[in-house]
Amino acid sequence: MGRPRDAGVERRALDAAARVLADHGHGALTVDAVAARTGIAKTTLYRRWPTRAHLLATVAHAALAPPSTGATDDLAADLRGALGTLATALGRASHAGLLAEVVAASAHHPDLRAALHALGEVRRAATRDRLARAVADGRLAPGTDVELVLDQLLGPVYLHVLVVGDTPTPDYVRRLVDAVLAGAGHPGGARSGRGGSGRGDVGHEDSGRGSSGRGLHSDGPAGTPPADTTSEGSP
Amino acid sequence: MGRPRDAGVERRALDAAARVLADHGHGALTVDAVAARTGIAKTTLYRRWPTRAHLLATVAHAALAPPSTGATDDLAADLRGALGTLATALGRASHAGLLAEVVAASAHHPDLRAALHALGEVRRAATRDRLARAVADGRLAPGTDVELVLDQLLGPVYLHVLVVGDTPTPDYVRRLVDAVLAGAGHPGGARSGRGGSGRGDVGHEDSGRGSSGRGLHSDGPAGTPPADTTSEGSP
Amino acid sequence: MGRPRDAGVERRALDAAARVLADHGHGALTVDAVAARTGIAKTTLYRRWPTRAHLLATVAHAALAPPSTGATDDLAADLRGALGTLATALGRASHAGLLAEVVAASAHHPDLRAALHALGEVRRAATRDRLARAVADGRLAPGTDVELVLDQLLGPVYLHVLVVGDTPTPDYVRRLVDAVLAGAGHPGGARSGRGGSGRGDVGHEDSGRGSSGRGLHSDGPAGTPPADTTSEGSP
Amino acid sequence: MGRPRDAGVERRALDAAARVLADHGHGALTVDAVAARTGIAKTTLYRRWPTRAHLLATVAHAALAPPSTGATDDLAADLRGALGTLATALGRASHAGLLAEVVAASAHHPDLRAALHALGEVRRAATRDRLARAVADGRLAPGTDVELVLDQLLGPVYLHVLVVGDTPTPDYVRRLVDAVLAGAGHPGGARSGRGGSGRGDVGHEDSGRGSSGRGLHSDGPAGTPPADTTSEGSP
DNA sequence: AATTAAGCGAGACGGTACGTCGCGTCTTAAG
DNA sequence: CTTAAGACGCGACGTACCGTCTCGCTTAATT
């Protein structure tokens, strides 16, 4: 019963948050600031996001959502494109810091791990699919551990952006992609391989789709509470 | 001129900070807390560290300082050891958050970038030397880009610890090292990665379905903590 | 709108402040102290009083609020009573210092001037009325400048308490009242002042001679510190 | 033995202090500030003045030292001149605040009472002499209590400058002098003002009654001024 | 239609830490 | 024994956000 939630709240809040983030950095992205700019009451904000960190996670999710990268036939080029946009997105100082804050907060708020995971997946999914296709096409060795390749590709980018403090250059990205592909048995630039085994270890079907950002909100409009993230035994 | 600085201040502060960190997490690692515990005046602390974040950076540096890793003749084993200890060190929940906080703060305090860089180098230097020796020995291809290899090795570890939210398992580390060495032309590196265990993709059990946030560890059913998180030995 | 202010906050704060003032002097009358004693959050206190000085002003106002002085038919006696209680109130060391602090702060916070003005009026109003009545009754000359008379009466009291550093004695008050009334054309005022006691200048134990300014410096050739001016009991 | 004191220290310190006072008010008149501006070490300053307040007292003494007022045959004119210069000197906001700070500090440092006393005497001495001469000349009634007259003259000036917060106008000074002289039996005292006191108490812009003491709080329920928290007997 | 259960804006509140300022003391080295 | 330099302990300042808590009003769905 009762009055229904105003759907506009969330949108207005995130818009304002994005603007604050862009204008003044993640340090200025406070609940009070969003409330002040939007006229939304703090109470209302806290009804959606139980914690500032949860709000940040949602903002980060929106900020890092990738533009749909068109896939071509050139695997290396596609990967370079994906890493390039990731580097660019994370390269904005405010975004890297935003991500870092969520990471830091995830120590106190275990449910943020889910959000963080989703954050990673946002960028990961498309690339995973591209790699899987390459395996199916035979351009990558059958049996290639796609997740591991993903880690080798994405890891260095995060490392540089977050820890080292520089944004990977296009040249760096190129060298990185080449090195990783070489290790994964990708035949240089030639198009050999062709047939071969279609069977890779497709066992990572968390190929995105999700990237929903769920788990950030206190409860949803129509109420599926976010999955309990603590009780989930793995065999 | 003037009264010389009391060297004990720094030592006592860092000791106390480390204890607070271990006991209550990085959120409790407060300038006030350190002052209260040590009897050092806040102003004195601020004379050394202009900001809480600077203090955190120093603490992180100390916390991540590598134990002297003995190098053997087995390159892959040495790398596995290095990554293992890094994963373990970062794996302590408090440390990952600590690092993340410093990253977040570095957006506001550009001088922290240097500290952050140093933070990365703490672990990087020894491994770099080991790789350089391998190149000199001819075990790695002559023109190998050592820094790039380092990125490929360390990046995924940071990625998992910070963003994905799990601690790399020994098995994961082994596969990673093998894959990277294979790409760098290490004789036998590619072999071992392929034949040995790669197939079933152990180490990534979070194969989708939910972005659950649960760890990626390949630990046994229920309780066993994935790796020894206290002793930093390599298997 | 919004949550209404808790009226108890103000009361509890001022109660505690008065107690601190009485127990430890105005130097100990700290925002932190009041917060600690009352359990009121510092931020809440600062919402009411934007500055420590503003709090002091309110406390001073309360401390100097006059008890309702019963007026009689004897003008001189009434004035003596009023001045006597004023002298007593200001005479408490803590109160004089309190007032002085507000005066000092009013240089930085112009809005305190209003508070200060009110502080003066607290004591002034009743006496003003009494004088006006005397004018109406014909006991004071018709055109008497009541404000000027007030200044002549109150001014010397403030002067002694604040600057000279002693508390006016009843005898001094009697002579002052007589002298001022004589000037204002009060019948018999001049008489009583003359014959009674005036002669020997009792009440002023220091007739100047030097304006040396000594006593400020730590050491000196052999200075006798000036006579103690504090012991001056009033019956 | 040892190195002799540098006499220039005191002079340089006071010069700098006076400049700080004039430029930034008494709030900025800090020991550190003086040290910084002069290059004098804090230690050295504290060797001369055991406390900031002591330094302030010395500065105040210098700031309030009267220019030698030439005495004429016109008693009233001389007094007007003396009070006028006093009002001007104290009228500078910085000076009144300075004096107030010393008064406030004198509660904690009893030795400052002497300095304070001297401060009062600076202005008092010359006027006292002038009054004494008038008594000797027979222009004031023999037996006049000179100290009391001084109090009546100076008291209102201090009262206005410190408590009321305005600077006495020349007109106010004239009326005050006339009133006091009239009370002291000065022939023609009432005359000099041409028409006596007249209606309108110019110089008092507030006849009380309003200005309740509001304006201290940020805002408030517009209630009654806080209850008297002290009990106060009248002698 | 009256009731009722939210949602919402407003803003006070308790709490914790921040980073700063000034005091007065001290330690050292230089003269 | 004085001076400059400056670190140090101490204590308070005023500020910033956090997340919680009344309020009073608005908006549907339920009685």
Side-chain angles (χ1 to χ4, degrees):
Chain A
M1 248 220 298
R3 174 175 173 173
R5 286 198 177 176
D6 181 349
V9 161
E10 190 158 344
R11 185 183 42 72
R12 282 188 290 146
L14 291 177
D15 282 358
R19 197 156 45 250
V20 172
L21 178 65
D23 292 352
H24 307 290
H26 68 272
L29 187 36
T30 59
V31 175
D32 287 279
V34 172
R37 264 172 217 244
T38 56
I40 299 173
K42 277 207 301 175
T43 327
T44 304
L45 293 176
Y46 276 104
R47 193 170 292 119
R48 308 291 160 91
W49 296 279
T51 276
R52 180 185 107 108
H54 290 78
L55 171 59
L56 291 192
T58 303
V59 173
H61 196 275
L64 295 182
S68 56
T69 329
T72 69
D73 271 352
D74 186 346
L75 174 62
D78 286 354
L79 294 178
R80 284 197 298 268
L83 293 194
T85 58
L86 171 63
T88 304
L90 280 175
R92 303 177 199 285
S94 53
H95 292 175
L98 187 60
L99 175 58
E101 276 213 40
V102 178
V103 170
S106 69
H108 309 301
H109 304 287
D111 57 324
L112 279 180
R113 294 252 60 123
L116 213 43
H117 203 249
L119 225 58
E121 281 302 320
V122 166
R123 286 287 175 175
R124 199 168 181 122
T127 305
R128 175 187 295 114
D129 289 346
R130 186 63 188 83
L131 286 173
R133 206 184 86 195
V135 172
D137 290 352
R139 308 211 184 187
L140 286 181
T144 297
D145 186 340
V146 174
E147 293 300 324
L148 189 61
V149 172
L150 278 172
D151 288 350
Q152 282 176 267
L153 289 169
L154 300 173
V157 174
Y158 280 96
L159 171 62
H160 272 267
V161 169
L162 292 181
V163 181
V164 178
D166 56 14
T167 305
T169 61
D171 179 61
Y172 176 82
V173 168
R174 189 178 49 70
R175 285 180 6 242
L176 174 62
V177 169
D178 287 351
V180 172
L181 287 185
H186 185 250
R191 46 189 60 242
S192 62
R194 294 246 106 222
S197 72
R199 279 223 31 91
D201 68 335
V202 186
H204 294 281
E205 82 264 6
D206 180 9
S207 24
R209 139 186 70 256
S211 76
S212 70
R214 299 289 297 59
L216 297 177
H217 300 51
S218 298
D219 55 32
T224 340
D228 182 1
T229 55
T230 57
S231 69
E232 189 154 19
S234 51
Chain B
M1 252 216 282
R3 176 174 172 175
R5 288 203 174 176
D6 181 348
V9 162
E10 193 155 341
R11 185 183 42 70
R12 282 188 290 148
L14 290 177
D15 282 358
R19 195 156 45 251
V20 173
L21 178 65
D23 292 352
H24 308 291
H26 67 271
L29 186 35
T30 292
V31 176
D32 281 310
V34 172
R37 251 162 234 251
T38 57
I40 299 172
K42 260 202 314 174
T43 41
T44 300
L45 294 176
Y46 276 104
R47 192 170 296 117
R48 310 293 166 94
W49 297 281
T51 278
R52 182 185 103 107
H54 289 78
L55 172 59
L56 292 192
T58 303
V59 173
H61 193 92
L64 295 182
S68 56
T69 330
T72 69
D73 271 352
D74 185 347
L75 174 61
D78 285 353
L79 294 178
R80 282 196 299 269
L83 292 195
T85 57
L86 171 62
T88 305
L90 280 175
R92 303 180 203 280
S94 53
H95 291 176
L98 187 60
L99 175 58
E101 278 213 40
V102 177
V103 170
S106 70
H108 309 300
H109 306 286
D111 56 325
L112 279 179
R113 295 252 59 127
L116 215 41
H117 205 114
L119 229 55
E121 281 302 318
V122 165
R123 287 284 178 171
R124 198 170 183 122
T127 305
R128 177 187 293 117
D129 290 346
R130 186 62 189 82
L131 286 173
R133 207 184 84 192
V135 173
D137 290 353
R139 309 213 183 188
L140 286 180
T144 300
D145 185 341
V146 172
E147 294 299 326
L148 189 62
V149 172
L150 278 170
D151 288 350
Q152 282 175 269
L153 289 169
L154 301 173
V157 173
Y158 280 96
L159 171 63
H160 273 268
V161 169
L162 290 181
V163 181
V164 179
D166 59 9
T167 305
T169 61
D171 178 61
Y172 176 81
V173 167
R174 189 175 51 70
R175 285 177 11 240
L176 174 63
V177 168
D178 285 352
V180 173
L181 288 185
H186 186 246
R191 299 297 127 226
S192 92
R194 287 299 254 315
S197 74
R199 187 59 12 85
D201 173 36
V202 186
H204 291 282
E205 94 271 358
D206 181 4
S207 18
R209 141 177 48 261
S211 77
S212 72
R214 226 25 215 73
L216 299 163
H217 305 54
S218 53
D219 57 355
T224 350
D228 183 4
T229 54
T230 54
S231 67
E232 258 182 58
S234 49
Chain C
M1 253 217 279
R3 176 173 171 174
R5 287 201 175 176
D6 180 349
V9 162
E10 193 157 339
R11 186 183 42 70
R12 282 187 290 148
L14 290 176
D15 283 357
R19 195 155 49 248
V20 173
L21 177 64
D23 293 352
H24 308 290
H26 67 271
L29 187 34
T30 291
V31 176
D32 280 311
V34 172
R37 251 163 235 251
T38 56
I40 299 171
K42 257 200 320 173
T43 44
T44 299
L45 294 176
Y46 276 104
R47 191 171 296 117
R48 310 293 164 95
W49 297 282
T51 278
R52 182 186 103 110
H54 290 76
L55 172 59
L56 292 191
T58 302
V59 173
H61 192 93
L64 295 181
S68 57
T69 331
T72 70
D73 271 353
D74 185 346
L75 175 61
D78 287 353
L79 294 178
R80 284 196 298 270
L83 293 194
T85 59
L86 172 62
T88 306
L90 280 175
R92 303 179 203 280
S94 53
H95 292 176
L98 188 61
L99 176 58
E101 277 212 40
V102 177
V103 170
S106 70
H108 309 300
H109 306 286
D111 57 324
L112 278 180
R113 294 253 60 125
L116 215 42
H117 203 118
L119 229 54
E121 281 302 318
V122 165
R123 288 285 178 170
R124 197 168 182 124
T127 305
R128 176 187 294 114
D129 290 345
R130 187 63 189 83
L131 286 173
R133 207 184 83 194
V135 173
D137 290 353
R139 309 216 183 184
L140 286 180
T144 300
D145 184 341
V146 173
E147 294 301 326
L148 190 62
V149 173
L150 278 172
D151 287 351
Q152 283 176 267
L153 289 169
L154 300 173
V157 174
Y158 281 95
L159 172 62
H160 273 269
V161 170
L162 289 181
V163 182
V164 178
D166 58 10
T167 305
T169 62
D171 179 61
Y172 175 81
V173 167
R174 190 174 51 68
R175 285 174 14 237
L176 174 62
V177 168
D178 286 352
V180 172
L181 288 184
H186 187 248
R191 296 300 127 231
S192 90
R194 288 298 257 312
S197 75
R199 188 62 5 92
D201 174 36
V202 186
H204 292 282
E205 84 278 0
D206 178 313
S207 10
R209 140 180 52 264
S211 78
S212 69
R214 304 290 307 52
L216 296 178
H217 298 52
S218 297
D219 55 353
T224 345
D228 182 4
T229 55
T230 56
S231 68
E232 188 153 12
S234 50
Chain D
M1 238 219 299
R3 174 172 170 174
R5 282 202 180 178
D6 180 350
V9 162
E10 190 157 344
R11 184 185 42 72
R12 281 187 291 146
L14 290 177
D15 283 357
R19 195 157 46 249
V20 173
L21 178 64
D23 292 352
H24 306 291
H26 67 272
L29 188 35
T30 297
V31 176
D32 288 280
V34 172
R37 262 171 220 245
T38 56
I40 299 172
K42 278 207 304 176
T43 326
T44 305
L45 293 175
Y46 276 104
R47 192 169 291 119
R48 307 291 161 94
W49 296 280
T51 277
R52 179 185 106 110
H54 290 77
L55 170 60
L56 290 192
T58 303
V59 173
H61 196 274
L64 296 181
S68 56
T69 329
T72 70
D73 271 353
D74 186 346
L75 174 60
D78 286 354
L79 294 178
R80 283 197 299 270
L83 293 194
T85 58
L86 172 62
T88 304
L90 280 174
R92 304 178 200 284
S94 55
H95 292 175
L98 186 62
L99 175 58
E101 276 213 41
V102 178
V103 170
S106 70
H108 309 300
H109 305 285
D111 57 323
L112 278 179
R113 294 255 58 127
L116 214 43
H117 204 247
L119 225 56
E121 281 303 319
V122 165
R123 287 286 176 173
R124 199 169 183 121
T127 305
R128 175 186 294 114
D129 290 346
R130 185 62 187 86
L131 286 173
R133 204 183 87 195
V135 174
D137 290 353
R139 311 216 181 180
L140 285 181
T144 297
D145 185 341
V146 173
E147 293 300 324
L148 189 62
V149 173
L150 277 171
D151 287 350
Q152 285 176 264
L153 289 169
L154 301 174
V157 174
Y158 280 96
L159 172 62
H160 273 267
V161 169
L162 290 182
V163 181
V164 178
D166 57 14
T167 306
T169 62
D171 178 62
Y172 175 81
V173 167
R174 187 178 50 70
R175 291 186 354 249
L176 174 62
V177 168
D178 287 353
V180 173
L181 287 185
H186 185 248
R191 212 111 298 286
S192 87
R194 104 169 309 268
S197 61
R199 82 225 108 267
D201 74 15
V202 185
H204 294 281
E205 80 284 354
D206 179 311
S207 352
R209 179 164 13 262
S211 71
S212 67
R214 301 261 98 276
L216 294 179
H217 305 48
S218 299
D219 60 22
T224 38
D228 183 4
T229 53
T230 65
S231 58
E232 197 169 314
S234 47

